[in-house]
Amino acid sequence: MERVRGGIVRFGQDGQWDRDVDLLLRRAEREAVVAVSNPTRSSDHLRLGQVVVGDLLAAGKQVRLLYSPDYLESRGRRPVLRHSSLGAQIRVTDNDFHNALILDRRVAVLWSGAGARVPYAYLVREPAVLRALHQFALLTWQSGHGLPGEGGGAEIGEALRATLRMLDLGLKDEVAARQLGVSLRTYRRHIAELMTRLGVRTRFHIGVRAAELGLLGGGEH
């Protein structure tokens, strides 16, 4: 392990790499940003995107996942869709970014992926660098899009489909909530979840994306 400067330490991706990252990720108290563009070739690396993230979500932590299309191609969509059903906020982007893990805006890990000529990994605790990393990660995440293809529609349950129908009818939130027999707070939470699942930021774009995926017609049957 080599201290580069202040709160930045360089270390190797040895045989304990996956275990170390696993343990660090589990220490998230409030939120975690996981950005994976080019993962390592470790056979255990999938734990980062499956078991550990699933545990964080089940514990009520906020998790943002940022993936590259190449990552999805190499790993398959099933575990990613499982995270979506648990409430993870997932984005996919073609923009270049480094593999990164940021926890509670207090510690970050940057690492190289498969094929790197000189593998690297940095543990960052320097506040100024952390702020820059977190801001860049969020901007990149926000510029991404939701999961492509029809998978997003397959993950929308009946409660969200009912909410989608209310939005399509243009009903006020209070009226829609009464018709569905849920509280106003629950109805609005369903709207927020629809935005996350469909990868959009406004109610208008919920309708646009739902129409593209054929969800509006499917919900009427």
Side-chain angles (χ1 to χ4, degrees), residues 32-35 48-49 53 57 63-67 80 83 88-92 141:
V33 178
V34 182
L48 184 64
V53 171
L57 291 168
V63 181
R64 289 188 175 91
L65 303 177
L66 177 66
Y67 294 131
V80 178
H83 291 155
Q89 295 179 300
I90 301 173
R91 293 290 186 275
V92 182
W141 182 86

Coordinates of all heavy atoms in Angstrom, one line a residue, residues 32-35 48-49 53 57 63-67 80 83 88-92 141:
A32 N -24.9 4.8 -1.4 CA -23.7 4.3 -2.1 C -23.9 4.6 -3.6 O -25.0 4.5 -4.1 CB -23.5 2.8 -1.9
V33 N -22.8 5.0 -4.2 CA -22.8 5.2 -5.7 C -21.9 4.2 -6.2 O -20.7 4.2 -5.8 CB -22.4 6.6 -6.1 CG1 -22.3 6.7 -7.6 CG2 -23.3 7.7 -5.5
V34 N -22.4 3.3 -7.1 CA -21.5 2.2 -7.7 C -21.5 2.4 -9.2 O -22.5 2.3 -9.8 CB -22.1 0.8 -7.3 CG1 -21.2 -0.2 -7.9 CG2 -22.2 0.6 -5.8
A35 N -20.3 2.8 -9.7 CA -20.2 3.0 -11.1 C -19.2 1.9 -11.7 O -18.1 1.9 -11.3 CB -19.6 4.4 -11.4
L48 N -20.3 -7.8 -6.2 CA -20.5 -6.3 -6.0 C -21.8 -5.9 -6.6 O -22.4 -5.0 -6.1 CB -19.3 -5.6 -6.7 CG -19.3 -4.1 -6.6 CD1 -19.0 -3.7 -5.2 CD2 -18.1 -3.6 -7.5
G49 N -22.2 -6.5 -7.7 CA -23.4 -6.1 -8.4 C -24.7 -6.9 -8.0 O -25.7 -6.6 -8.5
V53 N -25.1 -5.3 -3.1 CA -26.1 -4.3 -3.4 C -27.5 -4.6 -3.0 O -28.2 -3.8 -2.4 CB -26.0 -3.9 -4.9 CG1 -27.2 -3.0 -5.3 CG2 -24.7 -3.3 -5.3
L57 N -29.9 -2.5 -0.3 CA -31.3 -2.1 -0.7 C -32.3 -2.6 0.3 O -33.2 -1.9 0.7 CB -31.6 -2.6 -2.1 CG -30.9 -1.9 -3.2 CD1 -31.1 -2.6 -4.5 CD2 -31.3 -0.4 -3.4
V63 N -29.2 3.6 -3.1 CA -28.1 3.1 -4.0 C -28.3 3.6 -5.4 O -29.4 3.5 -5.9 CB -28.1 1.5 -4.0 CG1 -27.0 1.0 -4.9 CG2 -27.9 1.0 -2.6
R64 N -27.3 4.2 -5.9 CA -27.3 4.6 -7.4 C -26.3 3.7 -8.1 O -25.2 3.6 -7.7 CB -26.9 6.0 -7.5 CG -28.0 7.0 -7.0 CD -27.6 8.4 -7.4 NE -28.6 9.4 -7.1 CZ -28.6 10.1 -5.9 NH1 -27.7 9.9 -5.0 NH2 -29.6 11.0 -5.6
L65 N -26.8 3.1 -9.2 CA -25.9 2.2 -10.0 C -25.8 2.8 -11.3 O -26.7 3.1 -12.0 CB -26.6 0.8 -10.1 CG -26.9 0.1 -8.8 CD1 -27.6 -1.2 -9.1 CD2 -25.6 -0.2 -8.0
L66 N -24.5 2.9 -11.8 CA -24.2 3.5 -13.1 C -23.4 2.4 -13.8 O -22.4 1.9 -13.4 CB -23.4 4.7 -13.0 CG -22.9 5.4 -14.3 CD1 -24.1 5.9 -15.1 CD2 -21.9 6.5 -14.0
Y67 N -23.9 2.0 -15.0 CA -23.3 1.0 -15.8 C -23.0 1.4 -17.2 O -23.7 2.3 -17.7 CB -24.2 -0.3 -15.9 CG -24.5 -1.0 -14.6 CD1 -25.7 -1.3 -14.2 CD2 -23.4 -1.3 -13.7 CE1 -26.0 -2.0 -13.0 CE2 -23.6 -2.0 -12.5 CZ -24.9 -2.3 -12.2 OH -25.2 -3.0 -11.0
V80 N -29.4 -7.1 -12.8 CA -29.7 -5.7 -12.9 C -31.1 -5.4 -12.7 O -31.6 -4.5 -11.9 CB -29.1 -5.0 -14.2 CG1 -29.5 -3.5 -14.2 CG2 -27.6 -5.3 -14.3
H83 N -32.2 -5.8 -9.2 CA -32.0 -4.6 -8.4 C -33.1 -3.6 -8.6 O -33.5 -2.9 -7.7 CB -30.6 -4.0 -8.7 CG -29.5 -4.9 -8.2 ND1 -28.3 -4.9 -8.8 CD2 -29.4 -5.8 -7.3 CE1 -27.5 -5.7 -8.2 NE2 -28.1 -6.3 -7.3
A88 N -33.4 0.0 -6.6 CA -32.2 0.7 -7.0 C -32.4 1.7 -8.1 O -33.3 1.5 -8.9 CB -31.1 -0.3 -7.4
Q89 N -31.7 2.8 -8.0 CA -31.8 3.8 -9.1 C -30.7 3.4 -10.1 O -29.5 3.6 -9.8 CB -31.7 5.2 -8.5 CG -32.8 5.5 -7.6 CD -32.6 6.9 -7.1 OE1 -31.7 7.2 -6.4 NE2 -33.6 7.8 -7.4
I90 N -31.1 3.0 -11.3 CA -30.1 2.5 -12.2 C -30.1 3.4 -13.5 O -31.1 3.8 -14.0 CB -30.4 1.1 -12.7 CG1 -30.5 0.1 -11.4 CG2 -29.5 0.5 -13.7 CD1 -30.9 -1.3 -11.7
R91 N -28.8 3.7 -13.9 CA -28.7 4.4 -15.2 C -27.6 3.7 -16.0 O -26.7 3.1 -15.5 CB -28.2 5.9 -14.9 CG -29.3 6.7 -14.2 CD -30.5 7.0 -15.2 NE -31.4 8.0 -14.6 CZ -32.4 7.6 -13.8 NH1 -32.5 6.3 -13.5 NH2 -33.2 8.5 -13.3
V92 N -27.8 3.9 -17.3 CA -26.8 3.3 -18.3 C -26.3 4.5 -19.1 O -27.1 5.3 -19.6 CB -27.4 2.3 -19.2 CG1 -26.4 1.7 -20.2 CG2 -28.0 1.2 -18.4
W141 N -24.4 10.0 -13.9 CA -25.5 9.2 -13.6 C -26.8 9.9 -14.1 O -27.6 9.3 -14.8 CB -25.6 8.9 -12.1 CG -26.8 8.1 -11.7 CD1 -26.8 6.7 -11.7 CD2 -28.1 8.5 -11.3 NE1 -28.0 6.3 -11.3 CE2 -28.8 7.3 -11.0 CE3 -28.7 9.7 -11.1 CZ2 -30.1 7.4 -10.6 CZ3 -30.0 9.8 -10.7 CH2 -30.7 8.6 -10.4

